[in-house]
Amino acid sequence: MAGCPLVVTPAEMVVRFGDPASVNCSTDADVQQMGWEAPVGATSTPGPAVIWTVEKLEDWQINPLCFINLKDTYQCSKKLNITLYKTPDIVSVSALDNGPMVEGTEYHLKCNIINVAPVQKLKVTWYRGNETVHAEVFNETSKVPANVSSTLRVTPVGDYNGEHFICKADLQLGQNGPETDPTVTSSPYMAVVYYAPVFKEGTDNKEVNLGENVTIDCSAEGNPVPKILLNYSSAVNVKETIRGRQKGISITGATSTNAGVYSCDAINEVGRVTRYVTLTMKGKTSPVSSPTIWWLLIILIAVLILIILISVHSYSKKHGQYSFVPDKANDGSEIPMTPQSNGVQA
């Protein structure tokens, strides 16, 4: 009633189910009688104060009422605002879909909160590892304990494999509640996620020196563990390498015949991926020394000059160009030279 000269201390109470409770009601008015009306702890006194006390508060519907009767027959009262709470008996996470999860497919996880009150003060928070992924509050008004649940929709990726999903139930009881909100956390739910293979190295071009050793890594991750298939041209210096469940291609003393495209296929139930490696060869330095090369060039030039001289000489003979040295006759006189023409007498 408005204007009622009653003071209830504290005006609001938050009590854990089964704990004791004690509230004072007082007045400065001239009263004939005052007291508390309640299913448990009811009492009265001539005034000016009266205390309501309960050793174990277990009545979910209780609404204690402090009243006064004034000497002029005026009567008024005030209700105690009381919240009785209970933390959940169980908080657990389960899967609503048959597992394991498959990358890219939506799945649902359920957080079950058993026997909690009041539900309208409850907040459920979902975590993936240390990351908050979802939070939910409830609009129910019931004061008695209830079972509630929260659903988390998950579209997993490969990185979720082995991650822990946790839900935490908090009773947010406000400034009149405990210093720390009562909290119950579920056991971790470990996600098993099937995802397509992923190569540790991508498509690549390798340029190597002749005679160099080469390793092509075909390591891949995936769940289930992928099967690795290798595609390459066989050669005496090429072999497969195996390290645990991983495979690769090893080339010892690479030659020009090893140039080409090598590929690795990784296959599991979710998908198939291929990695390509193109191998090219650099030129190899000639074992012939530099001085030897110069001598070969000199000899080659000399041979070319000789061929040119011989060709010029042959050309001159064919065109009648001769050079004679005069000889002497038997008597010592010089023999006269007579010009010749193509078989015709002068």
Side-chain angles (χ1 to χ4, degrees), residues 21-47:
S22 180
V23 183
N24 183 59
C25 181
S26 62
T27 183
D28 56 4
D30 187 11
V31 299
Q32 289 182 335
Q33 185 185 25
M34 67 183 302
W36 284 95
E37 292 181 357
V40 290
T43 185
S44 65
T45 181

Side-chain angles (χ1 to χ4, degrees), residues 208-269:
V208 299
N209 292 314
L210 292 170
E212 187 177 346
N213 295 335
V214 183
T215 298
I216 297 173
D217 186 9
C218 291
S219 300
E221 296 180 349
N223 192 31
V225 175
K227 180 180 179 181
I228 307 296
L229 301 178
L230 307 178
N231 299 294
Y232 59 91
S233 297
S234 61
V236 293
N237 63 337
V238 179
K239 66 177 183 179
E240 296 183 6
T241 59
I242 301 176
R243 298 191 310 275
R245 295 178 177 177
Q246 305 298 340
K247 287 186 177 182
I249 302 170
S250 176
I251 302 172
T252 304
T255 67
S256 58
T257 59
N258 298 129
V261 178
Y262 297 74
S263 66
C264 319
D265 291 324
I267 308 165
N268 67 9
E269 295 179 17

Side-chain angles (χ1 to χ4, degrees), residues 19 31 37 49 57 59 64 71 88 114 205 210 227 250 273 296:
D19 280 2
V31 299
E37 292 181 357
L57 189 55
D59 186 346
K71 291 182 178 180
I114 306 301
N205 295 318
L210 292 170
K227 180 180 179 181
S250 176
V273 292
L296 289 174

Side-chain angles (χ1 to χ4, degrees), residues 137-148:
V137 293
F138 300 84
N139 296 321
E140 297 184 27
T141 59
S142 174
K143 293 183 178 182
V144 300
N147 300 337
V148 293

